[in-house]
């Protein structure tokens, strides 16, 4: 109890000196953070005041165990999982999978200011190598960073001893680098070694062990090894609760991540309770308007949408939008993302008027904040086009002319979305040729988003043309040439792009491709046609079965 109170008291004092971490809609999520005195910092946001740094006179007397245990060793690199959707999709659950690795970004790293009493040539080199590794990592020079982190491990062993906590810190740093490089086979033994050393040095219930276990849980989560992730998150949660207390925000952080794992495992009720409690803890600690709390609220809203609890999702999204409007105003992409999420929820619940108003306001805001052909502007156009098509369906019986006008509006938006998607893709093609290889990182993600938007827009354009023909009551035998053409272009685009190094095929891309193949197949069957542009109806049906099998197999592997 004494240890827990001392730890919590220290954390409160520390946060008075900490600097907030800035975030933006265009920036990837937090990945690595370093604090000064701990082998594993309690939170990516904690920054210890300078008086606890190297060369200062803070007390290292072992007679004062709580302070000494918390502050004695240099901090390691800590990773944080966040969700940052670039392209909002109806009712989609954003999960921490491979994208979490690709989106990783180092935040809050500081140069080493270690207060250890041991000092020799190896400890000095350890400090230098760790700082240089961090600097290269911040610059995105992972190969150079890896060399220095490897050297830091060796110097830590020489200077402090093979089983010293500094070695654990150095192992964790290198493990995080390998995790971001997707070198999972190299990362795992380093994580395990760090935990083993810390347990040996401080005991299995020490807070540093708890944070290291949290890191390992995150490592397994990004690989979708859910059972392993659950096990280590649960162990971390138990330790944090014992040492810090069940009302601590760092305890809530592990609680939230455990909740995401349980959701992915299908344990919806347990997941909901954990995520709700993690939000409550943040709100009670005065962080109810922080980006961390907003991310959790968004995730909870997505869970409700996935569970078809639309009204509850809507209430949470209204709360998030209210917070963003007050804190950032509409001159912020964070606010636009919040409004777009609410607009899509309203669309799914049939509240088309308010949905359209919100989505159009999002489009106007993005046009002022982004280049005119930015991929997010194309996404906004696609969302509004879908609402226009739904409006047309509601008007077709009572006001057919207005229904056609809505379809004309949708067609213009969809054509612009398609144009923007192709511009992004063609730009990536040119870049790929210059580099002589595929693209990666943020550029690669833009390509994936562009491909999904292209497929969705072409499929929607085909459906829009079918609706138009029905409204115009055409009696021609081949009544849907524009629709067939749109779906065929969708199929051709997928075949051209999804199997290249430029843009790798994803489950979402396969699903959109499958939709286009099914629609084209249905059109040919309805007309009694046996082929279209050299592709036979039987080939389309065979392709439907093949893609459905691929998607099913992929789900089994993940589940």
């Amino acid at each position: 109890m004494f240890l827990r109170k001392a730890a919590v008291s220290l954390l409160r004092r520390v946060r008075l000196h900490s600097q907030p971490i800035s975030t933006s809609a265009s920036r990837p999520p937090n990945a690595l953070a370093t604090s000064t005195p701990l082998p594993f910092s309690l939170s990516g946001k904690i920054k210890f005041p300078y008086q606890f740094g190297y060369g200062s006179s803070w007390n290292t007397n072992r007679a004062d165990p709580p302070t000494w245990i918390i502050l004695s060793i240099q901090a390691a690199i800590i990773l944080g999982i966040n969700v940052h959707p670039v392209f909002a999709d109806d009712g989609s659950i954003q999960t921490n999978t491979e994208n979490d690795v690709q989106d990783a970004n180092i935040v809050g790293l500081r140069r080493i200011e270690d207060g250890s009493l041991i000092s020799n040539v190896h400890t000095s080199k350890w400090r230098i190598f760790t700082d240089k590794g961090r600097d290269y990592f911040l610059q995105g020079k992972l190969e150079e960073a890896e060399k220095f982190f490897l050297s830091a491990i060796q110097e830590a062993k020489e200077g402090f001893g093979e089983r010293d906590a500094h070695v654990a810190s150095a192992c964790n740093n290198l493990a995080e680098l390998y995790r971001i490089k997707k070198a999972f086979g190299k990362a795992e033994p380093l994580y395990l070694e760090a935990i083993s050393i810390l347990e040996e040095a401080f005991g299995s219930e020490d807070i540093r062990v708890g944070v290291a276990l949290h890191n390992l849980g995150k490592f397994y989560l990004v690989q979708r090894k859910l059972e392993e992730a659950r096990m280590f998150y649960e162990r971390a949660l138990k330790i944090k609760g014992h040492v810090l207390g069940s009302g601590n925000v760092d305890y809530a952080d592990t609680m939230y991540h455990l909740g995401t794992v349980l959701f992915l495992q299908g344990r919806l009720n347990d997941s909901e309770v954990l995520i709700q409690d993690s939000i409550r803890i943040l709100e009670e600690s005065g962080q109810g308007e922080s980006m961390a709390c907003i991310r959790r609220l968004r995730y909870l809203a997505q869970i409700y949408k996935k569970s078809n609890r639309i009204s509850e999702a809507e209430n949470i999204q209204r709360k998030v939008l209210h917070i963003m409007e007050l804190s950032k105003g509409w001159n912020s992409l964070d606010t636009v993302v919040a409004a777009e999420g609410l607009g899509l929820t309203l669309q799914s619940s049939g509240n088309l008027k308010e949905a359209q108003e919100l989505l159009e306001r999002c489009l106007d805001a993005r046009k002022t904040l982004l280049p005119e052909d930015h991929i997010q502007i194309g996404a906004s156009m696609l969302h509004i086009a879908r609402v226009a098509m739904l409006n047309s369906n509601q008007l077709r019986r009572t006001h057919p002319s207005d229904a056609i006008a809505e379809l004309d509006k949708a067609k213009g938006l969809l054509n612009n979305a398609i144009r923007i998607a192709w511009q992004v893709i063609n730009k990536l093609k040119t870049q790929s040729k210059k580099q002589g290889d595929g693209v990666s990182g943020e550029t690669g993600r833009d390509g994936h988003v562009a491909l999904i938007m292209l497929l969705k827009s072409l499929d929607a354009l085909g459906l829009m043309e079918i609706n138009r023909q029905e409204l115009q009551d055409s009696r021609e035998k081949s009544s849907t040439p524009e629709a067939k053409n749109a779906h065929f272009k969708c199929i051709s685009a997928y075949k051209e792009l999804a199997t290249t190094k430029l843009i790798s095929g994803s489950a979402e891309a396969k699903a959109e491709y499958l939709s286009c193949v099914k629609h084209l197949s249905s059109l040919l069957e309805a007309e009694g046609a046996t082929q279209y542009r050299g592709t036979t109806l039987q080939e389309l049906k065979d392709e439907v079965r093949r893609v459905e099998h691929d998607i099913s197999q992929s789900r089994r592997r993940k589940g």
Side-chain angles (χ1 to χ4, degrees):
M1 178 64 70
F2 175 66
L3 173 59
R4 188 182 77 184
K5 289 182 177 178
V8 173
S9 174
L10 175 63
L11 285 170
R12 287 173 178 166
R13 294 200 305 271
V14 165
R15 288 194 179 97
L16 294 176
H17 297 269
S18 64
Q19 297 297 320
I21 295 177
S22 62
T23 60
S24 69
S26 60
R27 185 175 182 174
N30 300 348
L32 303 176
T34 298
S35 309
T36 301
L38 294 174
F40 296 87
S41 66
L42 303 183
S43 166
K45 290 188 176 181
I46 297 176
K47 295 185 180 179
F48 289 88
Y50 180 76
Q51 65 260 33
F52 295 133
Y54 175 67
S56 61
S57 59
W58 54 269
N59 183 17
T60 57
N61 189 338
R62 293 174 185 247
D64 184 14
T67 303
W68 181 82
I69 289 173
I70 295 287
L71 296 178
S72 60
I73 307 295
Q74 152 64 25
I77 296 176
I78 274 291
L79 182 97
I81 289 183
N82 299 317
V83 177
H84 180 68
V86 178
F87 178 70
D89 189 18
D90 299 13
S92 65
I93 282 289
Q94 297 290 337
T95 58
N96 303 303
T97 57
E98 291 84 354
N99 287 336
D100 180 60
V101 178
Q102 295 173 350
D103 288 346
N105 178 44
I106 303 177
V107 178
L109 288 175
R110 294 171 55 181
R111 291 192 178 277
I112 296 169
E113 296 175 342
D114 182 47
S116 301
L117 299 179
I118 302 172
S119 181
N120 54 50
V121 64
H122 297 294
T123 62
S124 298
K125 287 183 178 179
W126 168 78
R127 293 180 177 91
I128 293 170
F129 290 157
T130 303
D131 273 342
K132 284 186 175 296
R134 176 218 61 170
D135 290 341
Y136 279 122
F137 204 118
L138 285 168
Q139 297 170 37
K141 299 178 180 179
L142 300 187
E143 299 303 322
E144 292 89 340
E146 179 182 352
K147 293 175 184 177
F148 281 107
F149 283 151
L150 281 167
S151 297
I153 292 175
Q154 185 58 39
E155 297 301 331
K157 290 179 178 179
E158 295 282 348
F160 299 102
E162 293 279 338
R163 306 297 291 174
D164 186 86
H166 291 79
V167 178
S169 170
C171 286
N172 190 74
N173 288 351
L174 184 59
E176 292 290 274
L177 181 145
Y178 283 146
R179 190 188 71 84
I180 290 172
K181 290 179 67 176
K182 294 187 179 181
F184 298 131
K186 292 182 178 180
E188 185 173 31
L190 289 166
Y191 283 120
L192 295 172
E193 178 71 2
I195 291 171
S196 174
I197 292 172
L198 291 172
E199 287 181 324
E200 186 179 306
F202 305 111
S204 61
E205 298 301 311
D206 186 83
I207 187 60
R208 285 157 288 202
V209 175
V211 178
L213 291 168
H214 178 104
N215 277 3
L216 187 55
K218 192 168 306 187
F219 167 75
Y220 287 124
L221 176 56
V222 299
Q223 300 175 78
R224 283 299 189 99
K225 295 182 177 180
L226 300 180
E227 188 57 26
E228 292 91 336
R230 180 197 62 78
M231 180 177 67
F232 286 107
Y233 276 136
E234 285 183 348
R235 287 180 60 189
L237 189 67
K238 181 180 178 182
I239 294 171
K240 286 188 176 183
H242 176 71
V243 177
L244 302 176
S246 59
N248 185 271
V249 294
D250 298 294
Y251 174 84
D253 182 51
T254 299
M255 181 185 291
Y256 166 66
H257 289 106
L258 176 58
T260 64
V261 172
L262 295 180
F263 176 78
L264 294 173
Q265 289 184 316
R267 297 169 58 179
L268 302 187
N269 292 336
D270 293 337
S271 170
E272 181 184 340
V273 169
L274 284 172
I275 292 174
Q276 285 178 336
D277 281 349
S278 76
I279 292 169
R280 174 186 55 78
I281 292 170
L282 285 183
E283 290 176 339
E284 290 178 354
S285 66
Q287 298 184 37
E289 297 182 3
S290 66
M291 290 306 298
C293 190
I294 287 170
R295 282 190 294 269
R296 295 177 196 186
L297 287 166
R298 284 174 174 163
Y299 197 89
L300 184 60
Q302 290 178 333
I303 290 175
Y304 286 149
K305 288 184 71 175
K306 196 74 173 180
S307 305
N308 204 32
R309 296 159 65 179
I310 303 301
S311 62
E312 292 171 88
E314 180 185 327
N315 289 337
I316 289 178
Q317 288 175 311
R318 289 188 186 279
K319 178 179 180 178
V320 170
L321 180 57
H322 179 69
I323 293 172
M324 299 308 300
E325 284 183 298
L326 290 178
S327 61
K328 296 194 173 185
W330 275 87
N331 192 33
S332 165
L333 290 175
D334 287 327
T335 305
V336 173
V337 170
E340 187 169 77
L342 176 58
L344 296 176
T345 300
L346 293 169
Q347 173 190 324
S348 65
S349 66
N351 189 348
L352 300 183
K353 182 179 180 181
E354 188 178 359
Q356 182 172 341
E357 291 173 353
L358 268 178
L359 293 173
E360 287 180 345
R361 190 172 183 186
C362 290
L363 176 59
D364 290 340
R366 280 181 167 143
K367 285 181 176 179
T368 64
L369 297 170
L370 299 168
E372 60 179 355
D373 289 332
H374 194 280
I375 192 68
Q376 290 187 31
I377 291 177
S380 287
M381 291 176 172
L382 172 58
H383 295 320
I384 298 170
R386 284 174 161 176
V387 174
M389 291 171 67
L390 291 172
N391 284 334
S392 176
N393 287 339
Q394 290 186 349
L395 294 167
R396 62 187 304 160
R397 291 186 179 179
T398 57
H399 301 85
S401 60
D402 291 339
I404 291 177
E406 286 292 318
L407 292 181
D408 288 339
K409 175 182 177 181
K411 184 174 183 178
L413 289 165
L414 291 172
N415 282 330
N416 276 325
I418 292 167
R419 175 183 56 79
I420 291 172
W422 272 121
Q423 284 184 346
V424 173
I425 290 169
N426 289 330
K427 182 179 180 181
L428 292 178
K429 284 182 178 180
T430 302
Q431 181 178 336
S432 180
K433 287 180 181 179
K434 290 180 179 179
Q435 295 176 351
D437 198 355
V439 294
S440 59
E442 186 173 354
T443 304
R445 289 192 300 277
D446 285 347
H448 177 259
V449 170
L451 174 61
I452 298 297
M453 191 175 84
L454 178 64
L455 299 179
K456 287 178 179 288
S457 299
L458 286 168
D459 195 36
L461 184 62
L463 297 176
M464 186 278 303
E465 293 292 356
I466 294 173
N467 290 339
R468 175 188 292 277
Q469 291 295 331
E470 291 175 351
L471 279 168
Q472 293 176 344
D473 195 25
S474 173
R475 308 212 181 272
E476 297 178 15
K477 184 176 180 181
S478 179
S479 58
T480 55
E482 294 88 352
K484 291 198 295 287
N485 185 50
H487 292 310
F488 187 81
K489 285 182 177 179
C490 177
I491 295 169
S492 299
Y494 178 83
K495 288 183 175 180
E496 176 189 352
L497 299 169
T499 57
T500 65
K501 290 183 178 180
L502 179 65
I503 304 170
S504 59
S506 67
E508 187 178 6
K510 283 184 179 180
E512 295 301 327
Y513 168 65
L514 178 62
S515 177
C516 291
V517 176
K518 284 182 175 181
H519 287 146
L520 182 56
S521 177
S522 297
L523 288 173
L524 294 182
E525 276 192 311
E527 296 173 4
T530 59
Q531 67 173 359
Y532 182 74
R533 293 192 179 183
T535 301
T536 67
L537 178 59
Q538 187 58 49
E539 287 173 337
L540 291 173
K541 290 182 176 180
D542 291 343
E543 183 71 350
V544 168
R545 285 192 290 270
R546 185 191 68 79
V547 177
E548 285 179 338
H549 177 74
D550 286 350
I551 293 174
S552 176
Q553 290 294 105
S554 178
R555 287 172 179 169
R556 285 197 188 98
R557 287 193 295 269
K558 289 182 179 180

